[in-house]
Amino acid sequence: MKGEDIVCTNCMLELPRCNFLHDPDNSLAIRFRGRVPLAHAVAFLKFRKKSKVQTLLHSLKYKGQKDVAYKLGQVFGKELTSSGIASMYDIITAVPLHNSRLRQRGYNQSDEWALGISDSTNIEFVPNVLSRRFKTTTQTKMTRARRWENVKEVFFAKEPESIKGKRVLLVDDVVTTGSTLESCSQALLNGGCDSVGVACIASAV
């Protein structure tokens, strides 16, 4: 299976899960309340510094192991289906990288995560719905308020006709403060979609 040599079945079972799927009042969902209306806010794994999850995400973002994201997406997609959440969405799209970063890395890890989810759920993956107006500076050491200022006007719906009236599942790799997802979700809603939910590989919340 694609990605099996990178993330074996036993290793997958040992990774710390968020278990957000059956809890609409999970910590991630609460983080977005009053900021942007989301149908769901879920994540697969718990992110902690110096953990196996951080190592895994580092390998898919910086070491070219994009199959990791696809494999994780496949597994999480099955859980989205069994929970009933998958049936509530028409399309999947991903948080975009700036073109310069995409050229440097060669791929968008969130696209690979989306493709894995799409494969398991049969929800159509529509790439490049969102675009960035400009490249942002790294947010690693920013405060929550500074992160929001860094991204609040960055994203827009490049192809609003592809999302008009659609229920959109927006995906990303890691959510920390949620500022990027908030900005992207608002851009999708402004573009005319019916509703937005978010699903991340890992959550630090």
PDB file of all heavy atoms in Angstrom, residues 26 50 56 66 114 116 122 130 132 137 150 155 160 181 197 205:
ATOM      1  N   ASN A  26     -15.119  19.657  20.920  1.00  0.00           N
ATOM      2  CA  ASN A  26     -13.700  19.399  21.119  1.00  0.00           C
ATOM      3  C   ASN A  26     -12.917  20.715  21.176  1.00  0.00           C
ATOM      4  O   ASN A  26     -13.406  21.774  20.789  1.00  0.00           O
ATOM      5  CB  ASN A  26     -13.163  18.471  20.024  1.00  0.00           C
ATOM      6  CG  ASN A  26     -13.143  19.129  18.652  1.00  0.00           C
ATOM      7  OD1 ASN A  26     -12.384  20.048  18.383  1.00  0.00           O
ATOM      8  ND2 ASN A  26     -14.008  18.635  17.760  1.00  0.00           N
ATOM      9  N   LYS A  50       8.869  17.585  19.937  1.00  0.00           N
ATOM     10  CA  LYS A  50       9.794  16.471  20.166  1.00  0.00           C
ATOM     11  C   LYS A  50       9.063  15.129  20.269  1.00  0.00           C
ATOM     12  O   LYS A  50       9.530  14.220  20.949  1.00  0.00           O
ATOM     13  CB  LYS A  50      10.642  16.722  21.419  1.00  0.00           C
ATOM     14  CG  LYS A  50      11.507  17.966  21.314  1.00  0.00           C
ATOM     15  CD  LYS A  50      12.349  18.161  22.567  1.00  0.00           C
ATOM     16  CE  LYS A  50      13.211  19.421  22.452  1.00  0.00           C
ATOM     17  NZ  LYS A  50      14.047  19.634  23.670  1.00  0.00           N
ATOM     18  N   LEU A  56       7.248  12.829  12.251  1.00  0.00           N
ATOM     19  CA  LEU A  56       6.518  12.382  11.073  1.00  0.00           C
ATOM     20  C   LEU A  56       6.182  13.560  10.159  1.00  0.00           C
ATOM     21  O   LEU A  56       6.383  13.508   8.943  1.00  0.00           O
ATOM     22  CB  LEU A  56       5.235  11.674  11.520  1.00  0.00           C
ATOM     23  CG  LEU A  56       4.483  10.829  10.496  1.00  0.00           C
ATOM     24  CD1 LEU A  56       5.328   9.648  10.047  1.00  0.00           C
ATOM     25  CD2 LEU A  56       3.182  10.337  11.112  1.00  0.00           C
ATOM     26  N   LYS A  66       6.172  12.715   0.883  1.00  0.00           N
ATOM     27  CA  LYS A  66       4.781  13.130   0.773  1.00  0.00           C
ATOM     28  C   LYS A  66       3.800  11.969   0.900  1.00  0.00           C
ATOM     29  O   LYS A  66       2.630  12.178   1.218  1.00  0.00           O
ATOM     30  CB  LYS A  66       4.538  13.871  -0.538  1.00  0.00           C
ATOM     31  CG  LYS A  66       4.796  13.054  -1.793  1.00  0.00           C
ATOM     32  CD  LYS A  66       4.582  13.929  -3.026  1.00  0.00           C
ATOM     33  CE  LYS A  66       4.811  13.144  -4.304  1.00  0.00           C
ATOM     34  NZ  LYS A  66       4.600  13.990  -5.506  1.00  0.00           N
ATOM     35  N   ALA A 114      -5.149  15.732   1.494  1.00  0.00           N
ATOM     36  CA  ALA A 114      -6.475  15.826   0.883  1.00  0.00           C
ATOM     37  C   ALA A 114      -6.732  14.671  -0.083  1.00  0.00           C
ATOM     38  O   ALA A 114      -7.832  14.106  -0.121  1.00  0.00           O
ATOM     39  CB  ALA A 114      -6.620  17.159   0.150  1.00  0.00           C
ATOM     40  N   GLY A 116      -5.455  11.674   0.024  1.00  0.00           N
ATOM     41  CA  GLY A 116      -5.683  10.457   0.797  1.00  0.00           C
ATOM     42  C   GLY A 116      -7.100  10.401   1.348  1.00  0.00           C
ATOM     43  O   GLY A 116      -7.763   9.361   1.293  1.00  0.00           O
ATOM     44  N   ASN A 122     -14.374   9.236  -1.188  1.00  0.00           N
ATOM     45  CA  ASN A 122     -14.990   9.542  -2.494  1.00  0.00           C
ATOM     46  C   ASN A 122     -15.524  10.973  -2.571  1.00  0.00           C
ATOM     47  O   ASN A 122     -16.367  11.283  -3.421  1.00  0.00           O
ATOM     48  CB  ASN A 122     -16.117   8.560  -2.836  1.00  0.00           C
ATOM     49  CG  ASN A 122     -15.592   7.158  -3.101  1.00  0.00           C
ATOM     50  OD1 ASN A 122     -14.578   6.993  -3.771  1.00  0.00           O
ATOM     51  ND2 ASN A 122     -16.273   6.159  -2.551  1.00  0.00           N
ATOM     52  N   LEU A 130      -8.217  28.093  -3.444  1.00  0.00           N
ATOM     53  CA  LEU A 130      -7.706  29.278  -2.764  1.00  0.00           C
ATOM     54  C   LEU A 130      -6.349  29.677  -3.313  1.00  0.00           C
ATOM     55  O   LEU A 130      -5.590  28.837  -3.798  1.00  0.00           O
ATOM     56  CB  LEU A 130      -7.583  29.018  -1.264  1.00  0.00           C
ATOM     57  CG  LEU A 130      -8.887  28.835  -0.488  1.00  0.00           C
ATOM     58  CD1 LEU A 130      -8.582  28.312   0.907  1.00  0.00           C
ATOM     59  CD2 LEU A 130      -9.661  30.143  -0.420  1.00  0.00           C
ATOM     60  N   ARG A 132      -2.931  32.651  -2.574  1.00  0.00           N
ATOM     61  CA  ARG A 132      -2.318  33.632  -1.679  1.00  0.00           C
ATOM     62  C   ARG A 132      -2.000  34.917  -2.440  1.00  0.00           C
ATOM     63  O   ARG A 132      -1.448  34.867  -3.535  1.00  0.00           O
ATOM     64  CB  ARG A 132      -1.009  33.077  -1.092  1.00  0.00           C
ATOM     65  CG  ARG A 132      -1.201  31.989  -0.056  1.00  0.00           C
ATOM     66  CD  ARG A 132       0.156  31.456   0.378  1.00  0.00           C
ATOM     67  NE  ARG A 132       0.024  30.419   1.381  1.00  0.00           N
ATOM     68  CZ  ARG A 132       0.265  30.589   2.681  1.00  0.00           C
ATOM     69  NH1 ARG A 132       0.650  31.767   3.120  1.00  0.00           N
ATOM     70  NH2 ARG A 132       0.120  29.600   3.530  1.00  0.00           N
ATOM     71  N   THR A 137       5.550  35.624   6.228  1.00  0.00           N
ATOM     72  CA  THR A 137       6.736  35.212   6.970  1.00  0.00           C
ATOM     73  C   THR A 137       6.376  34.011   7.838  1.00  0.00           C
ATOM     74  O   THR A 137       5.213  33.770   8.156  1.00  0.00           O
ATOM     75  CB  THR A 137       7.246  36.349   7.865  1.00  0.00           C
ATOM     76  OG1 THR A 137       6.174  36.793   8.704  1.00  0.00           O
ATOM     77  CG2 THR A 137       7.728  37.514   7.023  1.00  0.00           C
ATOM     78  N   ASN A 150      -0.681  38.399  10.358  1.00  0.00           N
ATOM     79  CA  ASN A 150       0.182  37.905   9.289  1.00  0.00           C
ATOM     80  C   ASN A 150      -0.600  37.299   8.121  1.00  0.00           C
ATOM     81  O   ASN A 150      -0.119  37.292   6.992  1.00  0.00           O
ATOM     82  CB  ASN A 150       1.143  36.852   9.870  1.00  0.00           C
ATOM     83  CG  ASN A 150       2.303  36.542   8.944  1.00  0.00           C
ATOM     84  OD1 ASN A 150       2.896  37.430   8.345  1.00  0.00           O
ATOM     85  ND2 ASN A 150       2.631  35.262   8.824  1.00  0.00           N
ATOM     86  N   PHE A 155      -5.493  35.295   1.849  1.00  0.00           N
ATOM     87  CA  PHE A 155      -6.160  34.305   1.006  1.00  0.00           C
ATOM     88  C   PHE A 155      -7.418  34.847   0.333  1.00  0.00           C
ATOM     89  O   PHE A 155      -8.125  35.693   0.867  1.00  0.00           O
ATOM     90  CB  PHE A 155      -6.526  33.081   1.846  1.00  0.00           C
ATOM     91  CG  PHE A 155      -5.344  32.447   2.523  1.00  0.00           C
ATOM     92  CD1 PHE A 155      -5.059  32.729   3.859  1.00  0.00           C
ATOM     93  CD2 PHE A 155      -4.503  31.593   1.838  1.00  0.00           C
ATOM     94  CE1 PHE A 155      -3.963  32.161   4.490  1.00  0.00           C
ATOM     95  CE2 PHE A 155      -3.400  31.016   2.460  1.00  0.00           C
ATOM     96  CZ  PHE A 155      -3.136  31.298   3.785  1.00  0.00           C
ATOM     97  N   PRO A 160     -14.244  31.038  -7.467  1.00  0.00           N
ATOM     98  CA  PRO A 160     -15.463  30.961  -6.654  1.00  0.00           C
ATOM     99  C   PRO A 160     -16.567  30.116  -7.279  1.00  0.00           C
ATOM    100  O   PRO A 160     -17.382  29.541  -6.562  1.00  0.00           O
ATOM    101  CB  PRO A 160     -15.892  32.426  -6.503  1.00  0.00           C
ATOM    102  CG  PRO A 160     -15.176  33.164  -7.578  1.00  0.00           C
ATOM    103  CD  PRO A 160     -13.893  32.434  -7.809  1.00  0.00           C
ATOM    104  N   LEU A 181      -6.214  28.804   9.092  1.00  0.00           N
ATOM    105  CA  LEU A 181      -7.478  28.152   8.754  1.00  0.00           C
ATOM    106  C   LEU A 181      -8.643  29.126   8.860  1.00  0.00           C
ATOM    107  O   LEU A 181      -9.585  29.070   8.060  1.00  0.00           O
ATOM    108  CB  LEU A 181      -7.704  26.948   9.678  1.00  0.00           C
ATOM    109  CG  LEU A 181      -6.868  25.720   9.354  1.00  0.00           C
ATOM    110  CD1 LEU A 181      -6.933  24.717  10.498  1.00  0.00           C
ATOM    111  CD2 LEU A 181      -7.333  25.073   8.058  1.00  0.00           C
ATOM    112  N   GLY A 197     -15.919  23.169   6.754  1.00  0.00           N
ATOM    113  CA  GLY A 197     -15.399  22.429   7.890  1.00  0.00           C
ATOM    114  C   GLY A 197     -13.911  22.287   7.708  1.00  0.00           C
ATOM    115  O   GLY A 197     -13.409  22.399   6.578  1.00  0.00           O
ATOM    116  N   VAL A 205      -3.725  22.223  19.616  1.00  0.00           N
ATOM    117  CA  VAL A 205      -4.711  22.850  20.493  1.00  0.00           C
ATOM    118  C   VAL A 205      -5.201  21.865  21.535  1.00  0.00           C
ATOM    119  O   VAL A 205      -5.568  20.737  21.188  1.00  0.00           O
ATOM    120  CB  VAL A 205      -5.905  23.360  19.665  1.00  0.00           C
ATOM    121  CG1 VAL A 205      -6.982  23.923  20.572  1.00  0.00           C
ATOM    122  CG2 VAL A 205      -5.437  24.406  18.666  1.00  0.00           C
TER     123      VAL A 205
END
